[in-house]
């Protein structure tokens, strides 16, 4: 675990933290703790983008404030918040730095898995661990794609297990204390948890996308990494069948998009408010009085509002699914459908909005010093995770024909429809 100094904002709210530990946190209490931290993170966003500086220090602030323990029950040292409260804060964090919720999304799924696990020492151990540490991921493999063809292997070597393989899109693992790895063990898919600094683990910041540059979504290599028996955690990502996880993980991406829209509207508004120069053919002497510019700001604001509302609506569905144990197939399908529909709507809201913002000014609005283009680049990059054209087809096929939604299955695992669409 990386040592970091405690942020001044957390020290100021230590009294709030003490009162929160006695009960589940309210929104106002959470804002008192995390609002100042988000503000500090936002202040360095443009500089980090220009310098391509990974936000290790900023992740440290979140770790120290126990951001990763938002869903951990109070009795285990967490905040005990609802899914809706979590996603409300993820939107705010994305508005401050869009890379960070994406980097943390597998951590929150890891916590959720243990919330759903059978009570026992292992469950309590990892929930308590999640209050002060973060979990990254190493699931996808270069050149493979399908979740049923992992080349990363977990093999027996005497009385121990050895992990070998190469992963890409290891989002957030450079910031993490543990890495959740998807591997093959004698033809069985398993999830393996390894220490990020274990012997044989090599991480690379080689993600070369034009957006979301600071998610640390690069390559991770595992060479004869020793794995203890209690670090083999079950079937892992991609097990056939309905699951809460695909809608949950997709919703984190949508929270990122909603946060990007929120920041884009704020940046455009601040830029217009400070302008004193207008065009000779403008309808007003200064931009903020120009009705066309006002219209742009209004449309940006509407996109941010609608994107946030969509995310929180799906979060409400997931709250019900997870509170009931995430076992009812009908409820899991409803959550998957809601997340897919929200994905199609939110992308269509946010991508145009992050282009529209440039209509508020002339050539000066594209200054590299402002990096307003990062909003479109980040939104475009996050939106291609689980491509919308594939999701739209799956939703239409389900609604028309009752065909199973894909969840995380590979194409060859799709089962025939079990009933007509409702």
């Amino acid at each position: 675990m990386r040592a970091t100094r405690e942020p001044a904002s957390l020290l100021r709210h230590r009294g709030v933290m003490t009162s929160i530990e006695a009960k589940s946190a309210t929104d106002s209490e959470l804002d008192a703790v995390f609002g100042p931290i988000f503000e500090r993170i936002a202040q360095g966003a443009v500089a980090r983008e220009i310098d391509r500086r990974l936000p290790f220090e900023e992740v440290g602030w979140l770790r120290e404030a126990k951001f990763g323990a938002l869903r951990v029950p109070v009795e285990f040292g967490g905040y005990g918040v609802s899914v809706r409260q979590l996603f409300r804060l993820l939107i705010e964090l994305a508005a401050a730095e869009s890379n960070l919720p994406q980097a943390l999304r597998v951590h929150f799924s890891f916590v959720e898995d243990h919330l759903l696990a059978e009570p026992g020492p292992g469950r309590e151990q990892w929930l308590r661990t999640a209050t002060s540490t973060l979990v990254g991921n190493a699931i996808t493999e270069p050149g493979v794609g399908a979740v049923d063809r992992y080349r990363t292997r977990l093999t027996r070597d005497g009385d121990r297990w050895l992990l070998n393989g190469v992963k890409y899109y290891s989002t957030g693992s450079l910031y993490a204390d543990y890495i959740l790895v998807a591997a093959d063990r004698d033809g069985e898919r398993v999830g393996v948890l390894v220490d990020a600094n274990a012997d044989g683990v090599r991480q690379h910041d080689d993600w070369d996308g034009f957006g979301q540059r600071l998610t640390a979504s690069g390559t991770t290599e595992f060479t004869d990494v020793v794995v203890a028996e209690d670090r083999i955690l079950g079937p892992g990502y991609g097990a056939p069948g309905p699951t809460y996880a695909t809608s949950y993980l997709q919703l984190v991406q949508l929270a990122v998009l909603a946060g990007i829209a929120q920041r884009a509207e704020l940046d455009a508004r601040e830029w217009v408010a400070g302008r004193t120069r207008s065009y000779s053919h403008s309808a007003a002497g200064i931009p903020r009085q120009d009705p066309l510019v006002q219209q742009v700001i209004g449309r940006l604001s509407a996109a941010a509002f609608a994107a946030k509302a969509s995310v929180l609506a799906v979060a409400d569905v997931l709250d019900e699914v997870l509170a009931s144990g995430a076992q009812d197939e009908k409820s899991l399908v409803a959550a998957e459908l809601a997340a897919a529909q929200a994905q199609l709507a939110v992308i269509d809201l946010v991508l145009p909005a992050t282009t529209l913002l440039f209509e508020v000014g002339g050539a000066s609005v594209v200054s590299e010093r402002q990096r307003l283009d990062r909003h479109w680049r980040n939104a475009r990059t996050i939106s291609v995770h689980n491509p919308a054209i594939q999701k739209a087809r799956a939703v239409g096929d389900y609604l028309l024909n009752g065909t199973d939604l894909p969840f995380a299955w590979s194409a060859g695992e799709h089962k025939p429809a079990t009933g007509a669409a409702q």
Side-chain angles (χ1 to χ4, degrees):
M1 178 176 167
R2 297 179 182 88
T4 56
R5 62 184 177 85
E6 189 166 50
S9 56
L10 179 56
L11 288 170
R12 287 197 299 271
H13 295 291
R14 179 60 68 189
V16 174
M17 290 285 289
T18 300
S19 66
I20 287 176
E21 288 170 355
K23 57 179 175 46
S24 296
T26 65
D27 286 347
S28 60
E29 289 170 328
L30 293 168
D31 289 342
V33 174
F34 293 108
I37 299 174
F38 294 165
E39 289 176 11
R40 293 179 67 201
I41 290 172
Q43 289 169 7
V46 174
R48 287 191 299 272
E49 176 75 17
I50 292 172
D51 298 336
R52 202 185 184 282
R53 179 181 67 79
L54 296 180
F56 288 110
E57 184 178 17
E58 291 78 4
V59 171
W61 301 341
L62 294 171
R63 183 190 281 107
E64 290 293 327
K66 301 199 299 184
F67 189 76
L70 283 167
R71 287 278 291 157
V72 174
V74 173
E75 60 265 32
F76 297 146
Y79 292 94
V81 307
S82 67
V83 176
R84 181 187 179 91
Q85 287 177 295
L86 167 64
F87 278 91
R88 186 183 72 85
L89 288 177
L90 287 175
I91 292 170
E92 295 301 317
L93 177 58
E97 174 55 84
S98 70
N99 293 276
L100 290 181
Q102 185 183 359
L104 296 174
R105 73 179 187 138
V106 169
H107 172 88
F108 286 109
S109 178
F110 176 84
V111 170
E112 214 67 59
D113 284 344
H114 283 83
L115 287 173
L116 293 169
E118 290 294 325
R123 175 181 183 268
E124 179 175 345
Q125 173 197 343
W126 286 113
L127 287 173
R128 289 190 181 279
T129 298
T131 64
S132 58
T133 62
L134 296 173
V135 177
N137 92 95
I139 294 173
T140 305
E141 301 192 4
V144 178
V147 296
D148 60 342
R149 295 196 293 272
Y150 292 136
R151 294 179 296 200
T152 298
R153 296 285 187 266
L154 186 67
T155 56
R156 175 72 75 177
D157 180 50
D159 60 352
R160 62 181 187 170
W161 294 94
L162 296 180
L163 181 69
N164 286 276
V166 178
K167 298 287 188 176
Y168 193 53
Y169 302 115
S170 304
T171 305
S173 289
L174 278 170
Y175 307 126
D177 306 286
Y178 301 98
I179 304 173
L180 185 61
V181 187
D184 179 281
R185 180 181 64 176
D186 298 327
E188 174 194 16
R189 303 172 203 172
V190 293
V192 179
L193 195 66
V194 302
D195 292 356
N197 61 357
D199 291 341
V201 177
R202 293 185 63 200
Q203 299 184 72
H204 307 274
D205 178 27
D206 56 355
W207 162 241
D208 64 352
F210 62 62
Q212 294 296 92
R213 293 171 171 171
L214 309 181
T215 55
S217 298
T219 301
T220 306
E221 300 175 74
F222 302 94
T223 305
D224 289 336
V225 179
V226 177
V227 178
E229 192 77 39
D230 64 355
R231 294 293 189 89
I232 304 172
L233 302 181
Y237 181 80
T243 172
Y244 86 91
T246 45
S247 57
Y248 191 101
L249 291 168
Q250 183 66 65
L251 194 60
V252 177
Q253 311 285 38
L254 301 187
V256 172
L257 283 167
I260 289 171
Q262 183 173 310
R263 178 57 58 179
E265 184 269 331
L266 178 60
D267 284 353
R269 181 154 44 94
E270 289 182 345
W271 191 86
V272 169
R275 293 279 289 173
T276 58
R277 177 171 172 265
S278 192
Y279 296 101
S280 58
H281 52 286
S282 294
I286 55 175
R288 68 176 181 271
Q289 298 296 341
D290 188 324
L292 297 179
V293 173
Q294 292 168 354
Q295 182 185 74
V296 170
I297 299 301
R299 290 173 63 186
L300 287 171
S301 174
F305 173 86
K308 180 177 182 178
S310 295
V311 171
L312 295 181
V314 181
D316 287 338
V317 175
L318 280 167
D319 255 323
E320 295 182 8
V321 168
L322 292 165
S324 63
Q327 295 296 315
D328 179 67
E329 182 169 340
K330 185 176 179 180
S331 296
L332 293 171
V333 170
E336 187 76 4
L337 178 62
Q341 292 169 325
Q343 177 186 354
L344 299 175
V346 170
I347 289 173
D348 282 350
L349 284 167
V350 177
L351 284 181
T354 53
T355 298
L356 182 65
L357 73 86
F358 293 99
E359 297 297 329
V360 299
S364 57
V365 80
V366 300
S367 168
E368 282 283 322
R369 294 191 301 274
Q370 298 178 95
R371 292 291 171 112
L372 293 176
D373 63 304
R374 79 186 190 278
H375 298 313
W376 181 88
R377 287 189 290 100
N378 291 339
R380 180 71 275 184
T381 300
I382 203 74
S383 69
V384 298
H385 291 69
N386 305 311
I389 58 170
Q390 301 293 344
K391 198 61 68 72
R393 183 211 58 77
V395 169
D397 196 11
Y398 168 77
L399 293 175
L400 287 170
N401 304 311
T403 304
D404 290 337
L405 292 170
F407 292 91
W409 308 340
S410 298
E413 294 176 327
H414 276 242
K415 298 179 291 185
T418 55
Q422 299 297 313

